[in-house]
Amino acid sequence: MTELIAAPPCKIVDAHTHIYPQKIAEKATQNVGLFYDIPMCKMGFAHTLVAEGSKIGVCKYLVCSVATKPEQVQSINEFIARKCAQYASFFGLATLHPALEDWACQIDYLQELGLHGVKLHPDFQAFDIDDPVMMPIYRRLAERGLPVLFHTGDARYDYSAPARLRRVAQAVPTLTCVAAHFGGYQQWEQSRRDLTDCPNVFFDTSSALFKLSCAQAEDMIGAMGEDRFMFGTDFPMWDHVQEYNRFMRLKLSARTREKIFYRNFERIYHAKV
């Protein structure tokens, strides 16, 4: 059993997790693992997330799931809302889909459900981040003050390239964009090049520290700004203790760790931890 290399120094928010309904959790988890060719660490159950996160003292979890078909949007959003009602530590993001005809109504509805933003996965959903079809959606979300968490970057696809997110961030400067995986899973050089000077783009550490060296991660945080990063595990892909240890091995000040563990989340998502 992996042990913590150091006691948690402060409150911790896991700003990137996925949960699934019980009847499809096993299949959904396996499909994600197959997509990335990475063995999944756990099953994506809500109770498993809480049990695993408690090992490192997580006090709040950003939870989401992604619709691969437009007809899945409402049921997924209602599922996330139910789980947020069941678990006080959950902070829910909705899903949308580029082929959704009634997206304006769904934005109204996700706010009625008490959800706090939207998660999009262009590679799963097969659309370009900067597709013109998405621009009215982004503008409406910006008007409502709803952040968007984007899966960003994958060397196998162009849908979620950091350069595409840059175009969105510049076209809708009032949209709060969170670029997962240090801004570009497998495309970290592009992320640093294209997103560093976009002030409305923020980042999480999920599914990156397994690949980046400590020096690379420290350099990116320093160059792109410690006020723009949030800690995330990408559960159920990675083990909480393992991801915590990877992060704690970075040579960061106590103040920087505190920002990344929870203070930046509070500011970016307007949430009290």
Side-chain angles (χ1 to χ4, degrees), residues 16 18 34 44 56 76 95 120 195 238 252 271:
H16 193 137
H18 304 273
L34 290 171
I56 64 170
I76 288 175
T95 186
L120 295 173
L195 300 176
W238 304 106
L252 302 172

Side-chain angles (χ1 to χ4, degrees), residues 27-227:
K27 181 179 180 181
T29 302
Q30 289 174 347
N31 285 343
V32 173
L34 290 171
F35 185 85
Y36 288 108
D37 194 24
I38 295 176
M40 301 297 279
C41 184
K42 305 291 178 182
M43 286 294 144
F45 299 119
H47 66 273
T48 304
L49 170 60
V50 172
E52 293 301 310
S54 68
K55 295 176 182 179
I56 64 170
V58 173
C59 60
K60 191 170 285 292
Y61 306 82
L62 185 153
V63 294
C64 59
S65 192
V66 174
T68 56
K69 300 176 182 178
E71 57 267 27
Q72 298 171 337
V73 168
Q74 183 165 320
S75 63
I76 288 175
N77 291 345
E78 290 172 347
F79 162 73
I80 295 293
R82 285 196 303 273
K83 289 303 175 182
C84 289
Q86 183 178 354
Y87 293 90
S89 58
F90 283 5
F91 182 91
L93 296 192
T95 186
L96 290 174
H97 192 282
L100 190 67
E101 294 183 359
D102 64 340
W103 58 264
C105 293
Q106 286 298 327
I107 291 174
D108 291 340
Y109 188 46
L110 73 86
Q111 290 194 287
E112 291 175 17
L113 290 171
L115 302 179
H116 303 283
V118 171
K119 166 66 187 294
L120 295 173
H121 197 306
D123 298 339
F124 283 177
Q125 297 174 302
F127 75 96
D128 293 332
I129 284 180
D130 58 346
D131 189 320
V133 169
M134 295 299 297
M135 292 302 174
I137 299 175
Y138 296 144
R139 287 193 288 270
R140 179 65 61 88
L141 293 170
E143 289 168 2
R144 298 293 180 87
L146 295 169
V148 181
L149 169 57
F150 293 92
H151 167 86
T152 316
D154 189 321
R156 300 170 298 173
Y157 307 99
D158 188 51
Y159 295 121
S160 59
R164 293 190 181 278
L165 181 56
R166 176 185 178 86
R167 287 191 279 272
V168 170
Q170 291 179 332
V172 191
T174 55
L175 179 67
T176 297
C177 306
V178 180
H181 322 312
F182 271 72
Y185 177 75
Q186 299 178 334
Q187 293 189 321
W188 294 296
E189 289 184 10
Q190 296 93 321
S191 170
R192 181 168 175 168
R193 179 193 67 207
D194 295 326
L195 300 176
T196 296
D197 64 349
C198 295
N200 57 324
V201 176
F202 303 89
F203 311 96
D204 71 41
T205 66
S206 69
S207 288
L209 296 176
F210 79 104
K211 198 77 170 177
L212 291 170
S213 69
C214 288
Q216 287 174 312
E218 292 158 6
D219 183 60
M220 289 187 71
I221 291 169
M224 301 166 84
E226 64 183 33
D227 293 325

